[in-house]
Amino acid sequence: MFRTALRNVLAHKARLLMTVLAVMLGVAFVSGTLVFTDTLGNAFRSQSAKSYDDVAVAVSAHPSPEDAQKAPGLSQQVLDKIGKLDGVESVTGRVDGFAGVADKDGKLIGAGWSNKGTNFAPGKDGEDPAYDFGDGTGPTQAGQVALDKDTADKGGYRVGDRVRVATNGPVREFTLSGVFTTDDGAVNAGGSLILFDNAMAQKLYLQPGWYTDATVSAAKGTDDTALVDRIVPLLPASGTAQTGQALADQQAEEIESGLGALNQVLLGFAAIALFVGVFLISNTFSMLVAQRTKELALLRAVGASRRQITRSVLLEAFLVGLIASAVGYLLGIGLATGLRSGMSAFGMKVPDGPLILGATPVVAALAVGVIITMVAAYLPGRRAAKIPPVAAMGSVHAVATVKSLVLRNSIGGLITAIGAALIVVGASEAGDTGRMLVGGGAFCALVGVIILIPLLSRPVIALLKPVLKGFGVAGKLAGQNAVRNPRRTGATASALAIGLTLVTGLSVLGATVGTALDKATVDQVKADYMVTMADGAGPGMDGSALAALRKAPGVTAASPQQSGYLDVKGEFRSFSGVTPGDVEQVLNLKTVDGDLGSLARGEVAVAEPTAKKQGFKVGDSLPVVYNDKKKGTLTVGAIYEESAFTSPFLLDSKILDAHEEKPFIPQVFVRMDGGEKPANENALVKALGDNPAMTVMDKQDIRDAFGGPINLMLNIMYGLLAMALLIAVLGVVNTLAMSVFERQQEIGMLRAIGLDRRRVKRMVRLEAVVISVFGAVVGIGLGSFLGWAVGETFKSSVPGYTLVLPWDRIGIFLVLAGLVGVLAALWPARSAARLNMLNAIKAE
């Protein structure tokens, strides 16, 4: 039977090609993901370990706002005491924060969120071991900075040039003293690194004479753990100390955790692709078994047992899976290499390191490819074993019995009903529990619909018959062929249905949330402009930026959305500090009760959902604890409709300022005389000192900023799901190609009675389009249902949430499904049209 299985694989190379491709693509996704994350993890771990090679002990201090008034970090006196301990060779203090560099066009260089500034800390030899200067030297006096090489190259800067440096306050100009290379994580993340002299860095980020972190180098023979024990008593209450090795291990764990999340996401999409591939594989082996009915029956007649027949089919599947897994693994290595190189397109640098080819990706590739193929081939192999020897007397294929179809439909109906019930219950439950129920229900519903899809094929395809009639005899034959074998049609359409279920569900969610956010922008923002830090840069704007905006010519109202957290009745609550009087002019805040004018009296306004949940009413007194630990009482002066642009609690920003060392201002809303126009925008830009780290956004920019991440996420999801859809297309090609081979005699007879080549091609193409559209209709229907259910679980957290069906995208999906059918039919249609009618009529 082994020789028989091997002969069958070699005899049906072309027919098994699509199966090999499907398994190969899925395996490539799995193995490529594992190799990619292993390589990335090893590179970052090596870099992290290298960063702490010369660090015996790492010390840090991050005090609370209350403690920071006494000791904002590590004082120079503390570092001097540490430096005098036995076994300590040197102590280096560090202080850092946001800083960005403008290029020659005034644009911010690098990703804003990872642009960093820190102090140059030279040792006795005048060098800082953390940085390798290829040109110039580090900044040693006020008015000097040094840049990492990538930033200097992007900005076209050379030693001696004047450099504009942006922080969250006014822009400053410095002289470039040197260019260096470094393994700092900010640079590797696509950002920039700026070195200031020690005094300037402390002035910008903390206070003169204070540091946030320090590294300790030890003399040879010193025990690092013992050194930690001697350092800890010298530290302030907020100080911590750990060995450099412990810190490197901690960072390695964090890297592992971060890459693990990425790994799971990519493997999830690989699982979807393989799940789709199961239908292609099962369909292929089902058709091969059907075409070899006579051969298998003859084997039974000469003494082969049912078990041997099943083993023969499974052995074929094993060989196909083994070949596909081996090729897929090699393709996965190429995919991992491409992903690593492609990260540079997003501005991220991957540390140098070898490609890690561990045992896990190899084992996973072989296990996944072989097991998936054999599981998918099991049912066709079992059906092959049931072929009676008497079938060898004719070429009649074994057909499914009424009993088997009734049992299949009953099971499918039950599973679908359970899934639908779980989805509906989950949608009404909302929250994490609701999403878990919807997820479980979605799986059941998808499995149930896949089982029922042969039953659904006849009524759904019947709806297309009026359209098919317009194509004459070819259209009529295509409709009949599509429903001739419901199992085959269902299995082929299932692959497309799964892919489009996920794509449609994501589209419904994206369109619904995007519309809600867009509506919120139009309805809630009365301001002409919103000023914010570029690309999420830095810790928000400085108070000086707000003051400068208020003085800009033409400004009639300006209110910050100053973010803060206060303890209200024992629970931390998010507050927005605003400017009373101005906030009503820049944001459309509708009051339900009370008056927003109460903000000017030092009272608080509460969003309606929060007020209902907590039982707050106008006039209630709320005991609060501010960030500096001082206690107070706030009176509820107004209850307003929830806004996407504010926190649940509104308060005069002056009250927050009195208890904050540094305000955190993510946005400032500005209204100007004359509304949106270039002159007004330029006035705001100039008021900010042409700061490249700050962005002035009009209403359209605000809409794009809120909707952009959703569209980006959808595009990434579409790209990852493209693998599953590609496998689905291969399934359509495979089904049609094997169907044409199976129907050679029939096609020959049609040609003999007058059906020309053009109409034969049309018949095959229309059959492909019908199957593809059928799968698309099922997928779009189920996907829309799931999109509604998932949306219901979080609609309470999205103001203005209303279900939106993206009819334009749904229409595109249907058109693309039809186009998929046309493209998938190119080769099979050409093969059918080129059949020699006499040879085809003689074919068995």
Side-chain angles (χ1 to χ4, degrees), residues 428-512:
S428 61
E429 183 73 22
D432 291 337
T433 302
R435 282 188 281 275
M436 289 179 65
L437 288 172
V438 171
F443 178 77
C444 292
L446 197 59
V447 171
V449 168
I450 288 168
I451 295 173
L452 285 176
I453 209 166
L455 178 66
L456 298 173
S457 62
R458 291 185 182 276
V460 175
I461 292 175
L463 297 175
L464 299 173
K465 283 189 176 180
V467 178
L468 294 174
K469 286 181 179 179
F471 293 94
V473 174
K476 183 178 180 180
L477 290 171
Q480 292 174 348
N481 290 334
V483 296
R484 179 186 296 181
N485 191 328
R487 286 178 183 266
R488 180 188 303 167
T489 299
T492 305
S494 292
L496 273 173
I498 294 167
L500 282 173
T501 293
L502 299 172
V503 169
T504 304
L506 288 171
S507 298
V508 169
L509 285 173
T512 300

Side-chain angles (χ1 to χ4, degrees), residues 436-776:
M436 289 179 65
L437 288 172
V438 171
F443 178 77
C444 292
L446 197 59
V447 171
V449 168
I450 288 168
I451 295 173
L452 285 176
I453 209 166
L455 178 66
L456 298 173
S457 62
R458 291 185 182 276
V460 175
I461 292 175
L463 297 175
L464 299 173
K465 283 189 176 180
V467 178
L468 294 174
K469 286 181 179 179
F471 293 94
V473 174
K476 183 178 180 180
L477 290 171
Q480 292 174 348
N481 290 334
V483 296
R484 179 186 296 181
N485 191 328
R487 286 178 183 266
R488 180 188 303 167
T489 299
T492 305
S494 292
L496 273 173
I498 294 167
L500 282 173
T501 293
L502 299 172
V503 169
T504 304
L506 288 171
S507 298
V508 169
L509 285 173
T512 300
V513 175
T515 301
L517 293 176
D518 189 66
K519 187 174 183 292
T521 303
V522 174
D523 293 349
Q524 296 179 20
V525 177
K526 295 164 68 176
D528 299 310
Y529 298 100
M530 182 177 80
V531 182
T532 184
M533 298 297 286
D535 299 324
M541 286 175 281
D542 187 74
S544 61
L546 175 60
L549 288 170
R550 284 178 172 153
K551 295 177 182 178
V555 172
T556 58
S559 175
Q561 195 287 102
Q562 182 174 330
S563 182
Y565 286 87
L566 303 183
D567 184 327
V568 180
K569 291 187 174 182
E571 293 186 28
F572 274 95
R573 301 289 184 180
S574 176
F575 276 70
S576 285
V578 298
T579 302
D582 284 10
V583 69
E584 297 97 312
Q585 298 182 54
V586 296
L587 294 177
N588 188 17
L589 301 175
K590 299 178 182 178
T591 55
V592 178
D593 192 13
D595 179 14
L596 285 176
S598 61
L599 293 172
R601 301 191 297 269
E603 297 180 353
V604 63
V606 185
E608 185 180 20
T610 302
K612 283 184 177 180
K613 186 176 180 181
Q614 301 297 325
F616 297 155
K617 296 178 181 179
V618 172
D620 286 354
S621 296
L622 306 181
V624 299
V625 179
Y626 296 99
N627 279 337
D628 57 2
K629 303 302 181 183
K630 292 182 179 179
K631 296 180 180 180
T633 301
L634 294 174
T635 301
V636 177
I639 294 175
Y640 68 97
E641 292 184 5
E642 188 176 24
S643 170
F645 294 90
T646 63
S647 300
F649 292 84
L650 295 184
L651 195 64
D652 188 340
S653 59
K654 291 179 181 178
I655 297 176
L656 289 180
D657 289 343
H659 302 279
E660 298 275 359
E661 183 182 358
K662 288 185 178 180
F664 176 55
I665 307 175
Q667 298 105 18
V668 176
F669 295 94
V670 181
R671 193 165 188 177
M672 303 190 73
D673 188 15
E676 294 182 25
K677 58 182 182 181
N680 281 343
E681 185 173 339
N682 288 334
L684 296 180
V685 171
K686 288 181 179 179
L688 294 169
D690 290 321
N691 193 325
M694 296 181 187
T695 301
V696 178
M697 306 168 69
D698 59 25
K699 285 185 179 179
Q700 187 57 51
D701 293 331
I702 298 172
R703 295 168 73 175
D704 294 341
F706 277 82
I710 294 174
N711 293 327
L712 177 62
M713 180 198 72
L714 285 176
N715 290 334
I716 292 173
M717 296 293 186
Y718 289 158
L720 293 172
L721 287 171
M723 182 74 74
L725 293 174
L726 176 59
I727 293 174
V729 173
L730 293 177
V732 178
V733 175
N734 200 33
T735 297
L736 289 174
M738 298 186 74
S739 180
V740 167
F741 179 83
E742 186 179 277
R743 289 164 22 211
Q744 284 186 69
Q745 191 176 56
E746 174 190 322
I747 294 171
M749 290 294 294
L750 290 172
R751 289 290 316 282
I753 61 175
L755 195 69
D756 58 22
R757 289 185 175 183
R758 181 173 58 85
R759 284 188 286 183
V760 168
K761 287 182 180 180
R762 183 182 298 171
M763 176 186 72
V764 176
R765 283 198 294 265
L766 288 173
E767 183 181 348
V769 170
V770 166
I771 293 174
S772 299
V773 171
F774 166 53

Side-chain angles (χ1 to χ4, degrees), residues 156-356:
Y157 290 116
R158 296 182 179 179
V159 172
D161 287 351
R162 296 291 288 174
V163 180
R164 298 179 72 245
V165 177
T167 58
N168 60 343
V171 177
R172 294 176 172 86
E173 281 200 357
F174 296 85
T175 300
L176 184 63
S177 66
V179 177
F180 60 88
T181 56
T182 179
D183 291 325
D184 190 279
V187 176
N188 286 317
S192 61
L193 181 62
I194 304 170
L195 299 183
F196 300 95
D197 69 281
N198 204 56
M200 176 58 72
Q202 289 178 332
K203 179 182 177 182
L204 285 173
Y205 301 125
L206 205 58
Q207 291 181 20
W210 294 86
Y211 303 90
T212 52
D213 303 278
T215 55
V216 179
S217 297
K220 288 184 178 181
T222 302
D223 182 78
D224 293 349
T225 304
L227 189 55
V228 168
D229 294 337
R230 294 199 294 272
I231 290 174
V232 168
L234 302 177
L235 301 179
S238 62
T240 59
Q242 57 183 323
T243 65
Q245 183 60 52
L247 190 57
D249 293 342
Q250 179 183 323
Q251 288 197 359
E253 289 180 9
E254 292 172 356
I255 291 168
E256 199 76 37
S257 176
L259 291 175
L262 173 65
N263 208 20
Q264 290 175 5
V265 171
L266 293 177
L267 288 177
F269 283 97
I272 293 170
L274 288 167
F275 186 53
V276 172
V278 166
F279 296 97
L280 190 160
I281 299 164
S282 181
N283 218 15
T284 301
F285 278 93
S286 294
M287 295 175 73
L288 284 174
V289 167
Q291 292 168 12
R292 287 160 44 202
T293 300
K294 190 171 182 178
E295 173 191 330
L296 294 172
L298 283 170
L299 287 172
R300 290 291 314 283
V302 298
S305 66
R306 286 188 174 186
R307 185 173 296 175
Q308 286 178 309
I309 295 295
T310 302
R311 281 206 300 258
S312 175
V313 174
L314 290 177
L315 190 55
E316 290 179 44
F318 172 80
L319 294 173
V320 170
L322 189 63
I323 294 169
S325 298
V327 178
Y329 173 70
L330 296 176
L331 187 63
I333 295 175
L335 179 64
T337 304
L339 284 172
R340 182 176 177 178
S341 301
M343 288 184 72
S344 59
F346 293 93
M348 294 188 67
K349 292 174 59 181
V350 179
D352 293 333
L355 194 68
I356 303 301

